[in-house]
Amino acid sequence: MEWWQEGVLYQIYPRSFRDTNGDGVGDLRGIIEGLDHLEWLGVDGVWVNPIHPSPNDDWGYDVSAYKDVHPELGTMEDFEELIDDAARRGIRILLDLVPNHTSSAHPWFVDALSGRDAKHRDWYVWSDPKPDGSPPNNWLSMFGGSAWEFDEPSGQYYLHNFLDSQADLDWWNEEVREAIDDVLRFWFDKGVAGFRIDVANSVIKDRDLRDNPPTTDDDHLEIQRIGQRPMYSMNRPEVHEILRRWRKVAREADPPRMLVGETYVLDLGVLASYYGTGDELDLAFNFPMFFTALDGEAMKTTVEQTFDHLSEDSWPVWTGSNHDGLRFPSRWCDGDERKIRIALMMLLTLRGTPFLYYGDEIGMTNVDITREQLKDPVGIRFFPENPGRDPGRTPMQWSADDGAGFTKPDVSPWLPLGDHRSVNVADQRSDGGSILNFTRDLIHLRRRSEDLRSGEQSSIASPTGTFVYRRGVSTVVVLNMTDAPNSFDVDGEVLVTSTGRALEAGPLELDPFEGAIVTQS
Ligand code: NOJ
């Protein structure tokens, strides 16, 4: 088993983790300060959202220099110290690679704009207008409106699947491929353990730029939301060749590195294809599971279907929260602590790699944001129908103090604080029965248990609304995801319950929204 299969990974949104210089924005030194917490929690690896120089139109996902650190977040020396300090604690650092697009402020794009003959012109996707002057096709940006922006001086449109200041690179161009290989190698040399790859499944576009078809009622609601089926602008078959190429670069490094892709697809068969035949992504984020309700029947179905689709050598990955899809303690659990605990028990005991998002371990929920406080371009465009992603990106709640231990007491953080007086790391750390200590107990149990780290998983028949599975030879996880008590016919010793109640098995009587892990001899 690889470290990233057995381990627990943790996502940090660097601007919101910890601010050490009092500017209201989290920084790399803040992550270094947070390592004590992560080590105590038992985390094996950390994925840090983009840290590179960026105009921050999309908060780092508009990169203007791939081989540097954003001054607001720190320096290259800080980054090297982070890698070293984390390594001493057995924690690996993954960075975020954004290969689909660059910022329009990136020197490549600035050069491309200088004219049709520019050296980097064909590093981006350019096309002539239709005869009536309109965009080359009907593609829509994921952030609303046409995916094409007209460049008056050259008389052509360029493609942007996201903001118009995020110009899509042309992955048909070998020079682009080489440039990004070079970025990978640069950070591998610095000691990063791998990358989370942004838009990993969709960097290459249809060569003929064919129109996308309309959605139908059969499409997943999340696809209907886009307004068209992104058949030609995403998930093109040629992407596999690129994934194989990145995999090769990652495996050629010494030691070999890992790649986890943001594979935003809602079809598990398509998701499975991004693992290739063990020669593409190591892990492909599972959005169908992310969008499944926290209901025994529904989760069981999605999890079983995931196993059915993934081949022998593909390893699942499970996530409840991230910086785009907001926090599971709100989305799945409506802030109900019983549900938050049961979700954590599920995430940390399914066969596969769990990714926790900063704050999951204390049950942080989404935070209401006013129009004036918005920072996310999606929220700014669609508020109030869609408040965007800021509600899930608010500062880590370290303590009940003014500033939440995130920043100095008199500093106003870049996004508002949530309810840090009642939900924070410091208070939960000293409370043995807290969500934080429960999360830590689960992570440490997982570390000790070969069954939980690597054992096979099979479902056990159970009442509607519950989800019960065997892991490995002797571990059974029983999740009562219903509002009613439930009795399970299982023998053995109860190792942990989500409520902290001491329970006996055979039969196991669970309260509403209570889970238990049982070991059988
Ligand atoms: C996915 C990232 O997770 C999201 O935050 C970003 O806005 C888009 N890709 C564009 O890079």
Side-chain angles (χ1 to χ4, degrees):
M1 299 288 288
E2 305 283 350
W3 71 269
W4 45 266
Q5 293 178 301
E6 297 190 295
V8 172
L9 281 90
Y10 185 98
Q11 179 190 350
I12 290 180
Y13 197 73
R15 297 181 64 84
S16 292
F17 196 58
R18 196 191 263 263
D19 166 26
T20 58
N21 63 355
D23 62 358
V25 173
D27 41 51
L28 294 179
R29 301 216 67 80
I31 303 181
I32 296 173
E33 280 190 10
L35 288 173
D36 278 346
H37 168 71
L38 300 178
E39 185 182 7
W40 173 83
L41 190 59
V43 160
D44 298 275
V46 172
W47 151 33
V48 189
N49 287 101
I51 60 164
H52 311 301
S54 160
N56 282 339
D57 290 348
D58 191 19
W59 303 107
Y61 283 98
D62 46 328
V63 177
S64 54
Y66 284 101
K67 297 198 238 169
D68 211 342
V69 172
H70 196 304
E72 213 177 359
L73 301 179
T75 63
M76 191 61 89
E77 289 68 40
D78 294 332
F79 182 74
E80 286 162 356
E81 189 178 325
L82 169 62
I83 291 270
D84 290 347
D85 198 347
R88 271 195 294 279
R89 301 158 187 266
I91 298 175
R92 280 130 158 139
I93 303 291
L94 307 179
L95 282 184
D96 206 317
L97 179 74
V98 189
N100 180 68
H101 46 266
T102 72
S103 162
S104 53
H106 194 292
W108 299 339
F109 191 72
V110 172
D111 176 54
L113 273 185
S114 70
R116 290 192 183 210
D117 296 332
K119 175 172 184 303
H120 296 92
R121 179 74 175 186
D122 57 3
W123 284 38
Y124 295 86
V125 184
W126 292 94
S127 189
D128 291 333
K130 285 195 176 151
D132 65 357
S134 62
N137 67 24
N138 71 348
W139 295 357
L140 295 174
S141 154
M142 293 293 283
F143 292 163
S146 168
W148 295 94
E149 184 70 14
F150 190 57
D151 173 48
E152 196 81 57
S154 68
Q156 284 192 310
Y157 282 89
Y158 68 85
L159 180 70
H160 59 89
N161 263 351
F162 296 91
L163 297 175
D164 59 9
S165 57
Q166 292 169 299
D168 279 39
L169 286 162
D170 185 354
W171 276 87
W172 289 98
N173 186 332
E174 176 63 23
E175 286 178 315
V176 167
R177 298 179 184 208
E178 282 166 16
I180 296 295
D181 289 352
D182 182 50
V183 171
L184 286 168
R185 293 197 181 103
F186 175 85
W187 291 105
F188 289 159
D189 286 348
K190 293 265 172 219
V192 310
F195 280 92
R196 174 269 189 186
I197 304 180
D198 192 58
V199 198
N201 53 315
S202 298
V203 294
I204 193 159
K205 316 298 178 318
D206 180 47
R207 198 162 214 170
D208 299 328
L209 304 176
R210 281 170 281 183
D211 275 350
N212 281 328
T215 52
T216 66
D217 291 347
D218 293 340
D219 285 301
H220 194 290
L221 282 179
E222 293 295 318
I223 300 290
Q224 294 191 33
R225 208 178 46 77
I226 303 173
Q228 61 184 201
R229 196 182 296 160
M231 186 160 150
Y232 295 108
S233 53
M234 295 186 161
N235 302 312
R236 300 306 301 157
E238 296 85 3
V239 81
H240 295 285
E241 184 188 326
I242 297 164
L243 297 177
R244 283 194 290 273
R245 177 181 183 120
W246 290 334
R247 166 73 164 244
K248 202 157 160 279
V249 176
R251 285 302 198 272
E252 276 166 8
D254 182 20
R257 314 301 156 99
M258 68 85 74
L259 301 175
V260 49
E262 185 211 18
T263 39
Y264 190 88
V265 290
L266 299 155
D267 177 313
L268 286 164
V270 179
L271 179 78
S273 76
Y274 295 123
Y275 288 85
T277 50
D279 57 355
E280 297 187 25
L281 294 169
D282 293 298
L283 297 173
F285 277 124
N286 188 333
F287 287 92
M289 189 265 193
F290 193 95
F291 290 118
T292 297
L294 190 73
D295 163 83
E297 217 50 33
M299 275 299 174
K300 180 176 167 187
T301 305
T302 304
V303 168
E304 284 180 351
Q305 287 179 353
T306 300
F307 293 138
D308 288 348
H309 280 97
L310 262 50
S311 69
E312 276 282 287
D313 41 29
S314 303
W315 187 249
V317 48
W318 310 109
T319 330
S321 313
N322 67 30
H323 65 293
D324 293 327
L326 310 187
R327 296 183 175 277
F328 81 74
S330 296
R331 196 184 61 259
W332 278 343
C333 312
D334 290 325
D336 182 333
E337 180 163 342
R338 299 169 307 169
K339 297 186 189 173
I340 296 171
R341 287 167 177 263
I342 216 165
L344 284 164
M345 188 175 261
M346 177 185 72
L347 286 167
L348 292 164
T349 58
L350 290 173
R351 174 179 164 85
T353 301
F355 269 74
L356 296 179
Y357 183 53
Y358 78 99
D360 280 354
E361 72 273 38
I362 52 171
M364 256 175 83
T365 49
N366 296 332
V367 175
D368 287 338
I369 307 272
T370 64
R371 185 187 291 273
E372 296 66 43
Q373 292 166 329
L374 286 172
K375 295 285 190 297
D376 172 25
V378 175
I380 290 169
R381 179 159 186 162
F382 296 108
F383 192 87
E385 291 74 35
N386 171 359
R389 301 166 293 180
D390 291 328
R393 295 177 175 179
T394 61
M396 180 66 168
Q397 297 165 195
W398 293 101
S399 74
D401 303 335
D402 290 350
F406 164 73
T407 188
K408 300 196 165 52
D410 53 343
V411 169
S412 115
W414 81 294
L415 280 174
L417 298 172
D419 182 14
H420 66 286
R421 310 270 182 215
S422 43
V423 177
N424 65 71
V425 173
D427 289 350
Q428 290 198 22
R429 183 126 175 201
S430 54
D431 169 3
S434 64
I435 299 181
L436 177 60
N437 274 292
F438 171 63
T439 307
R440 179 176 190 257
D441 289 348
L442 286 175
I443 293 176
H444 285 255
L445 175 63
R446 185 186 158 100
R447 276 198 169 172
R448 291 193 304 273
S449 160
E450 196 181 329
D451 278 355
L452 291 178
R453 290 195 316 272
S454 57
E456 292 297 328
Q457 175 166 341
S458 55
S459 298
I460 298 176
S462 64
T464 309
T466 66
F467 185 15
V468 182
Y469 43 92
R470 176 177 297 282
R471 289 297 317 279
V473 282
S474 58
T475 304
V476 178
V477 181
V478 186
L479 304 172
N480 178 16
M481 294 178 170
T482 72
D483 213 357
N486 254 305
S487 176
F488 298 86
D489 196 10
V490 53
D491 292 324
E493 183 198 346
V494 178
L495 293 178
V496 53
T497 60
S498 62
T499 50
R501 289 200 306 150
L503 279 186
E504 305 252 315
L508 180 71
E509 312 277 357
L510 289 183
D511 273 350
F513 298 110
E514 185 174 41
I517 303 177
V518 179
T519 179
Q520 301 179 316
S521 46

